[in-house]
Amino acid sequence: MKLIYEKSVAGRRAVRAPRRTVPGRELIQKRLLRARPAELPEVPEIEVVRHFTNLSRLNFSVDTQFYPLGSCTMKYNPKACEVVAQHPGFVGIHPLWPQLRGGGQLTQGALRLLYETERLLAELAGMAEFTLQPLAGAHGELTGAMLIAAYHRDRGNTKKHILIPDSAHGTNPASAALAGFQVVAAPSTAQGTVDVEKLKGFINAETAGMMMTNPNTLGLFEPDVRRIADLIHAVDGLMYYDGANFNAIMGRCKPAEMGFDVCHLNPHKSFASPHGGGGPGAGPVGVVERLRPFLPISRVVKTRDGTFSLDYDYPKSIGYVAPFYGNFGVLVRTYAYLLLLGREGLRAVSDHAVLNANYVLSKLKDIFPAVSDHCMHECVLSAKSLVAGGVRAMDIAKGLIDRGFHPPTVYFPLIVPEAMMIEPTETETRETLDAFIQAMRELAQTARANPAALHAAPVTTTVGRLDEVAAARNMDLAFKEKKSE
Ligand SMILES: *Cc1c(COP(=O)(O)O)cnc(C)c1O
């Protein structure tokens, strides 16, 4: 495909900007002014439309294909939520307005939305209060770890380490370390859940807390979570809940009831906001009553006369963790989604997410061994039986692309050899799941009959198989004109 710069012909135009009528050029320092016109592609409108439409068609997306990328919850985003997010009243406001004199009146709707979203999340997670500021799950983890540190500092505790299961997502240890804690890995049993007996050996007076994902990254519910919480609380440690897998339990079970004190949720996973491609996300963090004083500012409060305003008067707060109120547009979609589904709807979501994952698991576990006979919202299968024939999980993943499916997450969790982590999400039809299962079974056959065919995959994409290490280390993202000799 030609780049738009390569389609440029001098003098061609899509639109002509109107002549500038506002003064201002004289206010800009001379050295900052452009000396030559910008080198923009010169193309007519139809070429621009075709260019970007064709580019968009090179993409894999939930709107075009099945996207069972485990742990990421790439679920369908109802278009109704997009309509709400595009409302001119939400799109057109400036984040400083609520803080300006009289601005509070202009932004009552937005503040109310933030306030009510916060209340809904607190209800769903069983927490006393949420901050909506963090901009992603990982950012929520960091905020949570900072809240844990603030709690211990306030009590004069000298705590050093945070316990994290060896099955955890890589952001967990990274967040704990950034907040100043040492990370101690908690071993899993052969079944893939936290080994409570071994864990006891790691818990001591220096334990600041424990971070857990439940269901964990193997798609298994941690049955001992309450016992673990009791052990951690006994040394005045705090329990952190990584809510990335909330889609499995929402409406059924609350992190606070499992014994957690701090949790983040991922609206771009559980609450149907666009996800991936570097788009904005959010990572609201909820806490139990005794951690409330430490939550970030500003906070949206409801005053006695029923209006909404910002409050900054929390002397123990860890301060701002992001500008203003977080990614407002993502929070609008979250609010719309929560109201669209309601209590019963959210519960139906987690029921169907779990049902779909178990359907896939039951139809594939005979050829791809699974870590367990049952799972929550995702299943982890292994491609290890194909390794002797020269085919790895990565080859199966690439083969799926040629069949029109996004690959599952591969090689994670690290404790499962040749792991393939499949998360179908709740909205997929039985026909889609059957087509995926069929493709996986055919790929296993191809792996045995003709491994070379799988090593060549993908062959249907614009770019074939990448050297993933080189692609990450030597990124080449800038346009360079190819000079004709
Ligand atoms: C996605 C994910 C995270 C990180 O969330 P981001 O929003 O991507 O920063 C953390 N833990 C688990 C288990 C995840 O799946």
Side-chain angles (χ1 to χ4, degrees):
M1 200 177 144
K2 266 193 164 180
L3 295 164
I4 193 125
Y5 280 91
E6 294 164 340
K7 293 178 184 160
S8 180
V9 173
R12 289 200 176 148
R13 285 286 177 280
V15 287
R16 216 173 282 277
R19 231 169 234 297
R20 188 171 48 83
T21 53
V22 286
R25 197 178 160 89
E26 33 322 315
L27 299 176
I28 301 172
Q29 292 181 31
K30 237 198 159 93
R31 64 182 177 87
L32 296 176
L33 289 175
R34 199 184 275 289
R36 291 179 289 118
E39 288 174 35
L40 299 174
E42 297 181 79
V43 280
E45 180 169 322
I46 186 168
E47 287 300 320
V48 178
V49 169
R50 284 184 185 156
H51 176 76
F52 286 107
T53 305
N54 286 326
L55 265 188
S56 77
R57 296 202 312 192
L58 297 179
N59 243 349
F60 250 97
S61 73
V62 178
D63 283 359
T64 56
Q65 275 126 323
F66 183 46
Y67 208 132
L69 188 66
S71 207
C72 293
T73 314
M74 303 299 288
K75 64 199 247 177
Y76 175 69
N77 309 316
K79 297 303 169 230
C81 301
E82 287 304 309
V83 174
V84 177
Q86 300 308 323
H87 189 286
F90 291 138
V91 175
I93 50 177
H94 191 282
L96 274 175
W97 279 7
Q99 300 169 41
L100 297 179
R101 189 191 291 271
Q105 271 168 323
L106 294 172
T107 51
Q108 280 300 301
L111 292 177
R112 178 175 164 192
L113 181 143
L114 291 171
Y115 180 85
E116 290 186 359
T117 304
E118 186 277 319
R119 289 290 81 211
L120 290 169
L121 296 182
E123 167 68 22
L124 266 175
M127 294 288 164
E129 188 173 344
F130 263 79
T131 171
L132 304 179
Q133 264 184 34
L135 304 174
H139 193 197
E141 292 170 27
L142 174 62
T143 305
M146 287 164 66
L147 290 168
I148 292 173
Y151 168 84
H152 289 308
R153 219 178 301 123
D154 188 57
R155 289 169 68 88
N157 288 345
T158 46
K159 299 282 196 179
K160 291 209 169 73
H161 66 249
I162 286 198
L163 291 157
I164 301 179
D166 56 11
S167 61
H169 194 264
T171 51
N172 289 186
S175 303
L178 263 181
F181 292 108
Q182 287 161 17
V183 174
V184 176
S188 303
T189 62
Q191 285 70 46
T193 53
V194 173
D195 188 326
V196 185
E197 287 316 307
K198 287 197 183 138
L199 179 73
K200 284 181 185 163
F202 294 103
I203 300 175
N204 55 46
E206 296 194 335
T207 304
M210 174 145 183
M211 293 177 95
M212 281 178 77
T213 312
N214 197 18
N216 67 20
T217 59
L218 283 90
L220 305 177
F221 194 86
E222 295 278 358
D224 296 316
V225 61
R226 273 275 11 168
R227 236 168 47 150
I228 294 170
D230 289 344
L231 291 169
I232 297 290
H233 288 148
V235 295
D236 198 18
L238 295 170
M239 289 290 287
Y240 183 93
Y241 181 79
D242 176 336
N245 291 342
F246 201 54
N247 213 43
I249 61 157
M250 60 185 187
R252 284 215 164 256
C253 150
K254 303 179 178 186
E257 289 167 356
M258 294 185 234
F260 289 97
D261 306 289
V262 193
C263 83
H264 84 257
L265 300 176
N266 301 56
H268 48 286
K269 293 181 180 175
S270 318
F271 307 133
S273 281
H275 180 185
V285 170
V287 295
V288 294
E289 193 60 43
R290 61 191 166 137
L291 289 168
R292 263 177 120 156
F294 308 104
L295 279 175
I297 49 166
S298 58
R299 301 191 205 166
V300 182
V301 291
K302 191 172 180 177
T303 55
R304 256 193 226 126
D305 63 359
T307 59
F308 300 90
S309 63
L310 296 175
D311 193 1
Y312 300 85
D313 191 15
Y314 302 93
K316 290 188 178 179
S317 166
I318 61 168
Y320 275 92
V321 295
F324 305 111
Y325 328 97
N327 273 327
F328 183 69
V330 174
L331 300 168
V332 174
R333 290 172 175 90
T334 301
Y335 181 70
Y337 185 73
L338 293 176
L339 294 191
L340 189 68
L341 277 100
R343 192 184 295 271
E344 296 305 313
L346 291 171
R347 195 181 164 118
V349 163
S350 53
D351 286 357
H352 284 103
V354 172
L355 180 64
N356 280 357
N358 278 283
Y359 183 71
V360 171
L361 173 66
S362 70
K363 297 278 185 184
L364 287 176
K365 67 181 182 198
D366 60 323
I367 42 171
F368 296 109
V371 293
S372 156
D373 268 351
H374 296 284
C375 62
M376 293 294 286
H377 65 308
E378 61 192 352
C379 60
V380 178
L381 307 178
S382 170
K384 66 184 175 196
S385 67
L386 306 177
V387 172
V391 168
R392 304 197 55 197
M394 184 64 81
D395 300 307
I396 299 293
K398 301 298 182 188
L400 278 170
I401 298 176
D402 283 336
R403 286 169 164 76
F405 300 102
H406 195 284
T409 296
V410 293
Y411 304 124
F412 179 79
L414 305 174
I415 56 177
V416 177
E418 300 301 317
M420 297 182 295
M421 190 186 210
I422 303 166
E423 181 176 9
T425 84
E426 64 280 1
T427 46
E428 298 303 336
T429 61
R430 172 143 182 207
E431 289 77 9
T432 300
L433 298 182
D434 283 338
F436 174 76
I437 289 159
Q438 172 83 15
M440 287 290 281
R441 299 192 75 90
E442 284 171 16
L443 285 165
Q445 278 172 6
T446 309
R448 298 208 169 84
N450 182 10
L454 281 186
H455 295 149
V459 294
T460 55
T461 48
T462 312
V463 179
R465 191 171 306 201
L466 295 167
D467 177 340
E468 307 212 343
V469 176
R473 295 252 166 93
N474 313 318
M475 259 193 240
D476 180 9
L477 301 173
F479 171 74
K480 284 186 215 89
E481 202 170 355
K482 291 189 201 79
K483 292 268 183 286
S484 48
E485 266 106 273

